[in-house]
Amino acid sequence: MLRTHWRGKAACAAAALSVLALGLSGAAPAAAAEPGPVRINEIESNGGSPGDWVELVNTGTTAADVSGWVVKDNDNSHSYKVKSGTSIAPGGYLVLDVESSYGLGSDDEVRLYKGSTLIDSYEWSEHASTTYGRCADGVGGFATTTASTRGSANACSGGGSSQGAWPGGSSVTVADASNAFGENLSGLSFESAGVLWAANNGPGKLYRLVPNGSTWRADVTRTLRYANGSGDPDAEGVVFTPEGLFVATERDNSKSGTSLPKVLRFDPSGSSSNATAEWNLKPDLPSVEANSGPEGISWIPDSFLTAHGFRDERTGAPYSPGSYPGHGSGLFFVGLEANGTIYAYALSQGGAVARVATIPSGFSAAMDLEFEASTGRLWAACDDTCDGRTSTLAINAAGKFTSTAVYARPTGMGNFNNEGFAIAPTCSGGHKTAVWSDDANDANHALRSGTLNC
């Protein structure tokens, strides 16, 4: 999958940056900027995958265009240029694989430039045992992290943004028969404790899954088409709602090189392959690669949003469902693979789309979203790009969804390409079932199951 990765850094005073610039061999001093929203956040100089990398973070409230920015080490002849058209969402992270241009040494430095202006820098005298990262993200000083957290919040000891252990059982079991689904199983969503929906992204399909002993099996399989009966929707995310099944798609697989981000609605009780309605998100979303569009989708009822003071960024006031006639009884939250940002939409009759809020997930890629109604938490899941981490978000006093925690994957699960994540709606013995779907069908299994504490 084509992905961009993201993260953050803290500020040095302008005078200190100037001093660092003066030490460059044979070079005139670079102009130094006052600390801005884009910072260096984490540095991998030894043993990274696919090599050495530098992570940036945008601490601001609007997207930051970093097209053409340059990252150098302590040698002016070593230069990595950010591709044109690259931006970092507010609160988002961008990982730059600098080893495609040069390697970072044990006694080295990373410098970030916008033109001739030195934006940020960090120097070290030996490799970190893990990585060097800001604690807390984007605003703190650099320290050796407790773990490499490429594309997500830094793991810091003694304070700052940190990663916690998975809040449930450590063991994970396979939850499907061998090669039951093959590759391309993506989003997941529970209809009830005994019915789980799964989306397949190529060819576009929906599976209705029911328990089969300790595993899940498909009792209904539907090949998907657009509302006019044509095409092959690349079904990446699915959510069951009181108003039907809604599927997030990146493109039409029959025209795989063209981005076509849409949300499609299907009748869960019907047998038709055709969508009953569709909404085109392309005019609203940033331009992305065809295979880096909407990956995750969730739905949150208006009753919850209004009760918790959710703020409508379009109006600048508390969210009022009446501002969006014909949108149903809730908002849709769509996660973008390309930048990890979550977009909240009112999807109204006739295909009308209105963005209500823009929310950083804290990850470089938002692969699935899950609203846990019993706790009011919106979960964001990343895949092997972020080592299988999940984060939780909740509405704060300002009415915005903000990150409340970042969790490692269960210790019993490998770093799989998990593109789907769902939590069962009911508790048993103090635990809920959590299910992950593995797009790569590692070890011939696409579904794995674990537990989450109630």
Side-chain angles (χ1 to χ4, degrees), residues 175-196:
D176 61 349
S178 180
N179 284 316
F181 302 101
E183 295 183 353
N184 297 332
L185 199 66
S186 196
L188 297 171
S189 180
F190 276 95
E191 175 180 344
S192 65
V195 176
L196 176 65

Side-chain angles (χ1 to χ4, degrees), residues 124-316:
W124 62 93
S125 58
E126 60 182 5
H127 288 305
S129 56
T130 51
T131 62
Y132 290 114
R134 296 251 180 212
C135 296
D137 284 81
V139 294
F142 275 93
T144 300
T145 63
T146 59
S148 172
T149 55
R150 174 187 174 108
S152 59
N154 287 346
C156 302
S157 60
S161 300
S162 62
Q163 169 186 290
W166 171 251
S170 60
S171 64
V172 172
T173 60
V174 296
D176 61 349
S178 180
N179 284 316
F181 302 101
E183 295 183 353
N184 297 332
L185 199 66
S186 196
L188 297 171
S189 180
F190 276 95
E191 175 180 344
S192 65
V195 176
L196 176 65
W197 290 91
N200 188 297
N201 58 61
K205 295 179 184 177
L206 279 175
Y207 297 106
R208 182 181 185 271
L209 307 180
V210 295
N212 183 35
S214 62
T215 63
W216 295 87
R217 65 173 180 86
D219 72 341
V220 173
T221 301
R222 292 166 64 180
T223 300
L224 304 184
R225 297 287 182 261
Y226 292 100
N228 64 4
S230 70
D232 175 13
D234 178 62
E236 298 288 351
V238 61
V239 61
F240 179 86
T241 80
E243 293 152 12
L245 279 169
F246 290 78
V247 174
T249 68
E250 292 182 325
R251 56 186 172 170
D252 181 348
N253 287 322
S254 65
K255 301 173 183 176
S256 61
T258 302
S259 176
L260 187 62
K262 286 189 173 185
V263 173
L264 309 179
R265 183 177 66 200
F266 295 90
D267 181 358
S269 61
S271 58
S272 174
S273 294
N274 296 357
T276 60
E278 56 186 73
W279 292 265
N280 186 2
L281 307 183
K282 191 168 186 176
D284 181 75
L285 289 173
S287 178
V288 298
E289 298 283 348
N291 199 27
S292 297
E295 275 282 340
I297 186 169
S298 191
W299 179 86
I300 301 180
D302 286 341
S303 57
F304 175 87
L305 296 171
T306 55
H308 289 79
F310 181 56
R311 189 169 183 82
D312 185 337
E313 295 174 6
R314 175 183 288 265
T315 65

